[in-house]
Structure formats: C-alpha cells, structure tokens
Amino acid sequence: MPGRPLGEEMTKMLRFTSAPAAVLLVLLLVITTVSGVTALFTHYFPAIPTSATMTTTCGYPIYPYNPLVSNPSSVVEGSSGQVSFQCSATDPAFTISGGVVSATPTFSIAAPYATLWIYQSDGSTGPCSSRTGARQIESGVAEVDIASSSYNYCAEYVSVGSSGLPFMVLDWYKAGNLFLFEHYFPAVPITATMTTTCASTYLVPNPSSVDQGSSGQVSFQCSATDPAFTISGGTFSATPYFEGTGFAAPYTTLWIYQSDGSTGSCSSRTGARQIETGVTEASIAPQSYNYCAEYASVGAGGLPAFYLQWQAT
C-alpha cells in the first residue's frame, strides 16, 4: 500500500501539538479520575461571633443562684398592672456590652400574667410598652440585635387572684443554642390588708347586758353579720393601743379570735390571741376576727366604754 505523503503527516502533528491548553487539561482530569484518586478529608470553617456579651449578676449559673427582685414586692388582689424584675435594687437583670446581641428567651407564662417585656434599666416606669427601649419577648422567638445597655424585665398582669403572681423561670440562648443564663422570677404575693366595716363607730356587744356581780366574757363585732376586722392577702402585723381609753376593771383581759361562731372562754376560741396595749401582734393570719373581753365581779355601773386603735408596724 503506498505511503502517505510526508507533508500530510507533518500537518497532522502540528494540529495536535497546537491544541488549546484547556483541552489538554480536560484530558488530564479524565485520566486522573479514571485512575481512582482518594479524597483525604474535608474542613469546615465555623462562623466567628463578635466579642459582644450578654451577662447577668443573678440566677443560674451565678452562685448562689439568687432570684430576681420584684418591684412592687406585692400586688393588690383583683388589680391589673405591671411589675418589674431585676437582680437587685442596684443591679439590672442583664447587661449587653461590646455591640448588639441576638438571643432567644424560653419561658412559660401563666395567668394572671399577660405579657413579658425587656426595657433599658434607666428608671423608666409606667406601662411596659412605653418604657425606654421596650421589647415584648415571646418564648422561642429570637430577639435580634439587642442594643448595648442594661436591661430589666417588665411583666403585665390582669385581675390578680388570691394567690398573687406565680413563680416563673426564663432561659436565654445565643445563636447555635448556646446557653447564656437562667433567671428565676419569684412569686409575688397579695398585699396584706387589715380592714373593718365599722371604723370610728361602736362595736356591737354579745351579750348586750351583764348581771351585777357576774364574771365572764363578752364578744364584740361590727354587726351580727360583720366581723370586727378582716385580714386579707397574707399575714399582717399590727399594734393595738387601748391603755387610758376606758379599758379598766371590771375588765381583766382583751382577746381577738377568728369569727367562726366559737364561744366559751376567750382563750379557748379559734385562733385566740390575748392582746396588750402597745405590744405588736406579729403575723396575724388572714382571717376575719372579733374581740373577746373577760371581766370579773361587775359593779352597779356595768362594763365601761373604751376604744382601741390599731397601728400598722
């Protein structure tokens, strides 16, 4: 078979050697892949946060895990309003420094609480929403770019019941589910009160008269259906004053007792406490109360009138 002309062979060689470099690289990649090169490892480069911090001086993990402090420290039964929480009278609930911080609170809020807010700890008061830098927070919802400042909590409540405001726990987390701290919201009790329906008027005695020469006891209350006074919302401390107001013989001792219909000697009545003028009665339980006065050997003048004044301690 006759050979090809030398010029034709040289032309083909020149065409191959002058092929684009990209084509040659593709051919090299195909050859490498077919040869079975093994991957060694993969590196992941993490996100790098800023140096901004969100810190607290109370709660977990700040030993001894002190709870927040409420202001006010008690609320009136049946009332609606707001209560603030911070670490102490001088320390805010938390502080953000070095830039903005995004964090997520988790908590469970129960009635009579309605909403929970954070606001800048600058002494602002009034409705939670009107306080400086106020943000309503919701459990599981991220608070984005909270500005550098110190913050307290503000909780709104509606129609407080007899048990007051309940205990609550709140956790804060940064991006990546990084735990920051846990705050304990203390239970806020009902404000204790001591009230009467017959201030500055005469109490009603039972019995309404006594026999000359007799000894015994007589009860006093506002009316046949109303007690002498009522303590509500928790224990209450008060001081009675009746010396020099007519409490004298034949009276011997004066007592208070729970208005539950109990009779007999003063000391044996339900919740009986002997009271003395100028001596504080501490932590009187929340109940309705009447008076019981003991007397001995009533004279012709009967039992004298007197008055008693209570003062809060």
Side-chain angles (χ1 to χ4, degrees):
M1 190 172 178
R4 294 181 180 178
L6 180 59
E8 182 179 345
E9 292 295 330
M10 290 298 294
T11 300
K12 289 184 176 182
M13 290 180 63
L14 288 172
R15 287 176 181 170
F16 179 77
T17 56
S18 63
V23 174
L24 297 178
L25 289 174
V26 169
L27 291 174
L28 179 61
L29 177 61
V30 171
I31 294 170
T32 303
T33 303
V34 172
S35 65
V37 174
T38 302
L40 294 176
F41 47 77
T42 302
H43 277 152
Y44 296 94
F45 291 74
I48 301 175
T50 68
S51 58
T53 60
M54 180 174 177
T55 58
T56 185
T57 60
C58 64
Y60 181 83
I62 311 302
Y63 187 80
Y65 318 144
N66 290 325
L68 297 164
V69 175
S70 68
N71 183 22
S73 58
S74 63
V75 292
V76 177
E77 184 174 359
S79 67
S80 299
Q82 53 280 323
V83 57
S84 303
F85 295 90
Q86 60 190 83
C87 285
S88 72
T90 56
D91 293 320
F94 62 88
T95 299
I96 292 178
S97 304
V100 298
V101 167
S102 296
T104 302
T106 62
F107 57 95
S108 179
I109 192 168
Y113 281 127
T115 60
L116 185 60
W117 302 68
I118 58 172
Y119 68 97
Q120 292 181 14
S121 182
D122 62 352
S124 56
T125 58
C128 297
S129 60
S130 68
R131 301 190 184 191
T132 307
R135 290 182 177 222
Q136 184 178 348
I137 61 176
E138 298 181 9
S139 183
V141 178
E143 291 299 319
V144 179
D145 293 343
I146 309 173
S148 291
S149 188
S150 292
Y151 291 85
N152 296 329
Y153 298 98
C154 181
E156 295 177 316
Y157 58 88
V158 178
S159 301
V160 178
S162 59
S163 58
L165 300 174
F167 175 81
M168 182 168 56
V169 177
L170 183 149
D171 294 335
W172 281 101
Y173 294 87
K174 285 186 71 173
N177 206 35
L178 174 64
F179 174 76
L180 292 173
F181 50 80
E182 183 173 73
H183 275 152
Y184 308 113
F185 293 70
V188 181
I190 293 298
T191 302
T193 58
M194 182 176 181
T195 59
T196 184
T197 60
C198 59
S200 301
T201 60
Y202 282 110
L203 296 163
V204 176
N206 182 22
S208 58
S209 63
V210 291
D211 295 331
Q212 291 187 30
S214 66
S215 299
Q217 55 279 325
V218 58
S219 303
F220 297 90
Q221 60 190 82
C222 285
S223 71
T225 56
D226 293 321
F229 63 88
T230 299
I231 292 178
S232 303
T235 60
F236 196 89
S237 298
T239 304
Y241 292 92
F242 51 92
E243 183 177 359
T245 68
F247 186 81
Y251 282 125
T252 57
T253 61
L254 185 61
W255 303 67
I256 59 173
Y257 68 97
Q258 292 180 18
S259 181
D260 62 351
S262 56
T263 58
S265 62
C266 296
S267 60
S268 67
R269 300 190 185 190
T270 306
R273 289 183 178 220
Q274 183 179 350
I275 61 175
E276 297 180 11
T277 189
V279 178
T280 298
E281 292 299 317
S283 301
I284 309 172
Q287 297 284 346
S288 292
Y289 291 87
N290 296 331
Y291 297 99
C292 181
E294 294 179 317
Y295 59 89
S297 303
V298 176
L303 299 174
F306 69 97
Y307 65 89
L308 179 152
Q309 183 182 73
W310 285 98
Q311 294 185 7
T313 56

